Amino acid sequence: MTQTVSVVIPAYNSARTLDACLRSVLAQTHPVHEVIVVDDGSTDRTAEIARTHPVVLIGGEGNRGVSAARNAGIAAATGDVLFFLDSDEALTPDSVANALEILRDDPSCGCVHGVIAPEPLFDDGPVEWYKTLHAYWWRARGAGVVETAFFAQAAVPREVFDRLGGFDERLRDSEDLEFSDRLAPHYRIILTERVMARHDEEHRLGPLLSETYRRALLLVPALLSARAGGRSNLTANTPASVLAAALCLGSVPLPFLALLLSAPSPVVPLLAALPAAGLLAFCLANLGLLGFAARRRGASFVPFFTGVHLANHAALLAGAARGALGALTSARPSAGDRRTPERAAAR
């Protein structure tokens, strides 16, 4: 029996990308039953652009966040399978068909989700290329049966929501982690490259690092929670990469400190070599990723990619350190405050 598919697209100030997003949905090789755009209080031309396409447009009551927008889409949908797509993404033509095939072949699967394409939706420069290449790399590396679902591009049978309920509307960030915690004990979650979308990523370095820092604030509590629950969530950076970055960045002040303290002369050169050793270790820990970047953008792009990747690790480490300090001096965050540090990415 052919399953009908409702595509749910939460949208907030998405005028830049919504047309490309909707065109990709309407061009799927498996025709969709309906497309539901949930306008989450946009102040730009999002609603106007949605009306130029054959979609169901739902107007939200102000900006309530992605969880509330997705829940509104779930309530309005009539399809057997709900396919969630972020409004700043454009699907490859066979993504819906591939997701349905995987769900059909594995009745125990409760969610099929995809990866970010290595090419951005719009080419806005080298920072965005760094972001898309890295986003593709770590997701593709983890493809298979996983414990975490990302709902930027994901297909879920309606019966899953009938059983588990919707998204936690208290969460405006990493709501997919909370839903994954409820999903994984009952259903298999499959991450696959057969579902793929080009994403309009952040293209400015400052906002990119700020986002990484913010998401890292609850890194330590989130990792402890995952370990306590016996889960192994997908992460954007390996422990070896994070440790090497910490060595590289943390050792930079040491030779200067040694000079200030009038340390014996052989000590200073040894300490001065530590940042270089850390950088080498960082490159070795990311050798596969750097090679992938070289194949996609050329060898001349690798130094820039490495520098941004190291800066992103610096923001991650700073956020994690502050978050760990806060966790030691205050009560553990409630479930409504949980966020996943490395995700989203993940977004």
Side-chain angles (χ1 to χ4, degrees), residues 38 40 64-73 167-169 171:
V38 184
D40 191 28
R64 299 176 58 205
V66 68
S67 295
R70 286 182 182 146
N71 285 344
F167 294 91
D168 188 341
E169 296 188 9
L171 300 177

Side-chain angles (χ1 to χ4, degrees), residues 241-261:
S241 179
V242 174
L243 289 173
L247 171 63
C248 177
L249 298 167
S251 61
V252 169
L254 295 182
F256 302 100
L257 182 60
L259 286 172
L260 288 174
L261 296 177

Side-chain angles (χ1 to χ4, degrees), residues 88-328:
D88 57 358
E89 296 189 348
L91 285 172
T92 53
D94 56 354
S95 286
V96 169
N98 289 339
L100 288 178
E101 181 180 341
I102 293 170
L103 288 172
R104 185 171 57 249
D105 292 345
D106 186 354
S108 66
C109 179
C111 177
V112 174
H113 60 116
V115 303
I116 301 297
E119 305 85 10
L121 180 57
F122 304 121
D123 187 349
D124 293 315
V127 171
E128 184 174 27
W129 274 102
Y130 158 77
K131 181 68 173 175
T132 55
L133 290 172
H134 184 224
Y136 168 81
W137 172 261
W138 71 264
R139 285 174 172 86
R141 187 185 64 204
V145 178
V146 296
E147 294 293 317
T148 304
F150 303 139
F151 291 89
Q153 65 284 115
V156 182
R158 170 170 287 281
E159 64 186 34
V160 172
F161 294 105
D162 294 338
R163 179 177 182 179
L164 302 180
F167 294 91
D168 188 341
E169 296 188 9
R170 296 172 297 174
L171 300 177
R172 283 179 170 263
D173 191 12
S174 294
E175 71 295 331
D176 37 15
L177 171 65
E178 188 280 331
F179 192 85
S180 297
D181 287 343
R182 290 184 277 134
L183 179 66
H186 306 285
Y187 299 95
R188 280 159 55 93
I189 302 170
I190 295 178
L191 173 61
T192 176
E193 289 188 73
R194 297 178 63 195
V195 176
M196 184 178 292
R198 296 174 68 177
H199 188 201
D200 186 37
E201 295 278 8
E202 178 56 62
H203 64 279
R204 297 163 298 168
L205 183 60
L208 172 67
L209 300 181
S210 295
E211 181 183 46
T212 299
Y213 174 84
R214 176 179 58 82
R215 290 177 172 172
L217 289 172
L218 291 180
L219 172 59
V220 173
L223 290 177
L224 292 175
S225 174
R227 181 171 295 179
R231 301 185 305 276
S232 55
N233 291 322
L234 292 164
T235 55
N237 301 293
T238 65
S241 179
V242 174
L243 289 173
L247 171 63
C248 177
L249 298 167
S251 61
V252 169
L254 295 182
F256 302 100
L257 182 60
L259 286 172
L260 288 174
L261 296 177
S262 300
S265 55
V267 173
V268 176
L270 290 175
L271 292 177
L274 285 178
L279 179 59
L280 177 60
F282 181 73
C283 292
L284 291 175
N286 291 281
L287 195 58
L289 172 61
L290 298 180
F292 174 69
R295 291 192 298 275
R296 286 285 179 166
R297 298 291 292 170
S300 62
F301 183 68
V302 173
F304 175 85
F305 186 99
T306 305
V308 176
H309 198 42
L310 186 59
N312 206 41
H313 276 65
L316 171 68
L317 289 165
R322 180 177 176 183
L325 181 61
L328 292 174

Side-chain angles (χ1 to χ4, degrees), residues 324-347:
L325 181 61
L328 292 174
T329 58
S330 63
R332 184 177 179 180
S334 65
D337 292 329
R338 291 190 313 176
R339 294 179 176 88
T340 303
E342 301 247 30
R343 306 246 314 261
R347 294 285 181 96

